[in-house]
Amino acid sequence: MTEPVPSPSNMNGRAVALIRPTEPLRGPGRFWWVGFLFARLRFAVILAAIGLVIVKWDTLQSYYEKWVRPAGDAAGVDLDHEFFCPMHPTIVRDSNKEKCPICFMPLSKRKKGEIDDDPLPAGTVSRVQLTPYRVVLAGVRTVPVSYLPLTKQITTVGLVEFDERKLRTVSARVEGRIDTLFVNQTGQMVHEGDPLAELYSPDLVGTVQNLLDARKSINKDLEANARARLKLWGIDDKQVNEIVAVGKPITHLTIRSPITGHILKKFPREGQYVKVGDPLFDVADLSVVWVQAQLYEDDLAFLPTGGHDPKTGKPAIDLPVTAFTRAFPNRAFGGTLSFLFPHVDSETRTLTIRFDVPNPDHELRPGMTATVTLQLTPDLLAKTPAGTGLLTQDGKILAIPESAVIDTGMQKVVYRESLPNTFEGIRVELGAKLNTADGAVYFPILSGVDVGDLVVATGSFLLDAETRLNPAMSSIYIGSSGGKPGPTAIRPTTPDDMSEKVAASLRKLSPEDKKLAQAQRFCPIRNDPLGSMGVPVKLTLDGKSVFICCKGCVAEAQKNPVETLNKVMNRMKTEKNP
């Protein structure tokens, strides 16, 4: 580009503008990437600084407190000791000027690195303590372990089929011609002894004539042979006697139904010649039908094992079954377990089981589908593998709700309230799922907890998170007891029921110790009620038994045993004679 430049004048005396070139625009240059690289490095440095602050936050905070702490406070800090809450061991402070933010109890002194926690008993995997407010916030609800009337209900889908034991095939026993069909349609109902067809056979005529000739000649051997042959052809003794009485040979053989049932299939037609052994009719008796269903491997423990009848295959115990069909949804058909197949289908992973269901009115028809329900009472459960080890009483089973169980894959855990707001994770052994009358699911208890124990039925997963997650993270859910209190005020809390807490703690003692603790009532060191800080600790001072509220008072009580005993005696006398 160019721009005009003023000039004094030109040859004609008129002003003109001189044009001079402007400076060209400069491009990014060869080193433009240097600035770009520095911008990215600044961003990476800032991110690294933020990450370092997050990782070293506790260290920075400790340095800050050291720098801003007044000189008098720094001089009073004991570097070899720390103060903790006996009720909540995770509460640790550098001085005893603070109180436990959970129970508001004074803190006890101990050497740093010393562990005052009792080891967890065998079978106990964790322990957690919560404030009453946090218990309410988490919605924790406990139920007692008790004996309940439980049953096992297995529901599956079955198919109605013919009872193979009640199928018959009517065949031709002699060669001949079908002259008459009395039953000439498939599905027709017949009764035992009803005529099905008439067959003309030259062999029949010859055999009957031999019988008559033997009768006249009084040849018993020949007569017996003729009678036996006629009987094999389906002519009974009554009909043979009638033939002998008349004295004339018959030309047609009447074929009769061997059972009462339906004609499944009709093979011959009138005028057709048949040979010996040719099938004529298939007859099925539907007074009893089979319902065959499939059970998954998880339910096989509820079926009987061994003791099957070697002839029929029927189990040693009768397990009742109820079947409902789409045709009769409000009609229950009852039956019993009759057979267990010896193998599991490798594709469906199911076992086929068979039930005998009475069908007097022929309402159940082969080919229909049915919903099958197998109901096992406690008495029947005791006869199956699933009933091994069940704790029963008066027909009831010791069990806990399904919601109380946390299955980690390696073990099953329930949380038991050992003291008010104190929960212990107990490893338990459970039986297979059972149901109450209203359909609620329960697990039978084999070992781990006893009748009367309070287990968490609602909120157990939150308690499990409290024991597993980082304390800072778990406080988001139900409030961890770890960490230092901030400058903000403590949130409102639901107060402890002290009488309930004391009673629950004293119940953990033996009957003799409980009587002594109830007589003493108060701790001689803190003057707190025995049981208010957990199970009282028993000491022997100068040959006498004394109880204190917690382990934090042990050292002080043993430091001056005479004074401790005097405090106990004076307190008991004062309460006895106010």
Side-chain angles (χ1 to χ4, degrees):
M1 293 180 62
T2 60
E3 58 180 1
V5 180
S7 176
S9 63
N10 58 9
M11 296 178 63
N12 297 327
R14 291 181 294 183
V16 295
L18 298 178
I19 305 300
R20 65 181 181 185
T22 60
E23 295 182 0
L25 296 176
R26 295 182 178 180
R30 290 180 298 174
F31 301 100
W32 62 269
W33 54 271
V34 176
F36 177 79
L37 181 60
F38 275 112
R40 296 299 182 270
L41 286 176
R42 286 197 302 268
F43 181 71
V45 170
I46 293 173
L47 288 181
I50 294 175
L52 183 62
V53 170
I54 294 175
V55 173
K56 299 295 184 180
W57 178 254
D58 292 338
T59 304
L60 296 174
Q61 188 177 17
S62 63
Y63 277 116
Y64 173 79
E65 292 180 356
K66 179 180 179 180
W67 292 333
V68 301
R69 179 181 297 165
D73 292 345
V77 174
D78 187 353
L79 299 179
D80 296 330
H81 294 82
E82 61 187 5
F83 296 86
F84 73 101
C85 175
M87 283 293 295
H88 305 89
T90 55
I91 301 297
V92 180
R93 301 291 184 264
D94 293 332
S95 67
N96 61 348
K97 296 181 179 180
E98 301 177 9
K99 291 186 177 182
C100 176
I102 299 177
C103 60
F104 305 104
M105 293 291 182
L107 302 182
S108 299
K109 187 177 181 179
R110 70 181 177 189
K111 289 185 179 181
K112 289 187 177 180
E114 181 182 353
I115 300 177
D116 289 304
D117 290 343
D118 293 333
L120 294 177
T124 303
V125 298
S126 61
R127 181 183 292 136
V128 61
Q129 295 172 319
L130 303 175
T131 63
Y133 172 77
R134 295 300 183 183
V135 172
V136 175
L137 183 64
V140 176
R141 182 178 62 87
T142 59
V143 296
V145 180
S146 59
Y147 290 94
L148 300 171
L150 301 177
T151 60
K152 177 60 180 180
Q153 181 173 308
I154 304 174
T155 301
T156 183
V157 177
L159 187 66
V160 180
E161 297 184 1
F162 293 103
D163 186 347
E164 296 177 358
R165 299 165 299 184
K166 296 183 177 296
L167 294 178
R168 296 291 186 274
T169 296
V170 180
S171 59
R173 300 185 180 185
V174 62
E175 186 176 351
R177 182 185 66 244
I178 302 295
D179 283 347
T180 305
L181 285 175
F182 298 107
V183 176
N184 56 5
Q185 58 181 339
T186 301
Q188 185 173 341
M189 180 70 182
V190 295
H191 295 83
E192 183 178 0
D194 286 353
L196 302 179
E198 275 193 350
L199 181 144
Y200 168 77
S201 173
D203 294 339
L204 174 64
V205 176
T207 302
V208 172
Q209 187 62 51
N210 292 337
L211 172 65
L212 296 177
D213 294 341
R215 184 75 176 182
K216 291 180 180 179
S217 61
I218 314 177
N219 189 339
K220 294 184 179 181
D221 293 337
L222 183 59
E223 181 181 355
N225 291 336
R227 284 179 176 269
R229 192 180 308 162
L230 293 175
K231 190 173 183 179
L232 291 175
W233 289 346
I235 302 176
D236 55 17
D237 293 336
K238 182 179 179 181
Q239 292 177 307
V240 172
N241 293 333
E242 292 177 355
I243 295 173
V244 172
V246 173
K248 293 182 179 180
I250 59 176
T251 59
H252 289 79
L253 174 65
T254 301
I255 300 173
R256 301 181 182 275
S257 174
I259 60 172
T260 299
H262 296 81
I263 300 298
L264 289 183
K265 192 170 184 181
K266 179 181 70 70
F267 294 94
R269 294 182 294 273
E270 289 188 358
Q272 179 179 343
Y273 279 86
V274 295
K275 296 181 179 180
V276 177
D278 287 350
L280 303 179
F281 300 93
D282 286 341
V283 186
D285 183 3
L286 297 181
S287 59
V288 176
V289 294
W290 284 350
V291 176
Q292 293 198 155
Q294 284 72 39
L295 287 185
Y296 287 104
E297 293 181 74
D298 296 342
D299 296 325
L300 298 189
F302 295 98
L303 300 177
T305 58
H308 294 71
D309 190 299
K311 295 182 179 180
T312 64
K314 188 174 182 180
I317 59 176
D318 292 332
L319 294 183
V321 65
T322 304
F324 293 89
T325 63
R326 296 180 60 184
F328 307 99
N330 298 323
R331 172 79 183 279
F333 297 90
T336 56
L337 179 66
S338 61
F339 189 77
L340 304 175
F341 276 63
H343 59 273
V344 173
D345 192 321
S346 59
E347 295 183 358
T348 62
R349 311 307 306 169
T350 58
L351 177 72
T352 302
I353 58 177
R354 182 186 299 154
F355 305 97
D356 288 342
V357 181
N359 187 32
D361 298 328
H362 295 182
E363 293 176 312
L364 295 176
R365 304 173 188 274
M368 297 173 65
T369 58
T371 301
V372 182
T373 301
L374 188 64
Q375 193 86 10
L376 286 88
T377 61
D379 295 338
L380 293 175
L381 281 172
K383 301 177 182 179
T384 64
T388 304
L390 294 182
L391 303 178
T392 60
Q393 185 181 74
D394 299 331
K396 299 180 180 180
I397 300 174
L398 188 67
I400 57 176
E402 181 187 23
S403 58
V405 179
I406 297 177
D407 191 347
T408 65
M410 299 296 294
Q411 59 186 2
K412 295 179 176 62
V413 178
V414 299
Y415 279 88
R416 177 181 63 192
E417 188 175 18
S418 57
L419 294 173
N421 304 326
T422 301
F423 304 92
E424 295 178 342
I426 307 298
R427 186 186 302 108
V428 294
E429 292 185 14
L430 306 175
K433 292 181 181 180
L434 301 179
N435 305 92
T436 59
D438 56 358
V441 180
Y442 280 76
F443 278 106
I445 287 291
L446 304 183
S447 65
V449 293
D450 298 323
V451 61
D453 288 347
L454 293 178
V455 297
V456 177
T458 303
S460 56
F461 282 96
L462 296 179
L463 290 177
D464 191 59
E466 175 76 1
T467 61
R468 293 175 182 272
L469 298 178
N470 183 290
M473 295 180 61
S474 61
S475 62
I476 297 175
Y477 301 98
I478 53 179
S480 171
S481 57
K484 283 193 172 184
T488 57
I490 298 176
R491 298 182 64 179
T493 181
T494 303
D496 274 325
D497 187 345
M498 187 57 65
S499 60
E500 179 186 353
K501 188 173 184 178
V502 169
S505 300
L506 295 182
R507 281 197 295 267
K508 300 291 183 179
L509 299 174
S510 64
E512 295 79 7
D513 290 346
K514 180 180 178 182
K515 187 176 181 180
L516 294 176
Q518 288 176 337
Q520 181 180 329
R521 293 189 60 188
F522 290 92
C523 174
I525 306 302
R526 295 181 180 271
N527 293 323
D528 292 329
L530 293 176
S532 61
M533 299 185 68
V535 180
V537 179
K538 184 179 180 181
L539 296 178
T540 302
L541 303 177
D542 292 344
K544 296 183 179 180
S545 297
V546 177
F547 288 92
I548 55 177
C549 60
C550 62
K551 282 191 173 184
C553 301
V554 172
E556 189 172 350
Q558 293 177 341
K559 183 178 180 181
N560 195 341
V562 176
E563 182 180 352
T564 302
L565 290 173
N566 290 335
K567 287 182 180 180
V568 173
M569 299 303 296
N570 293 335
R571 185 65 180 263
M572 294 177 64
K573 289 180 180 179
T574 302
E575 293 182 356
K576 188 175 181 180
N577 300 314

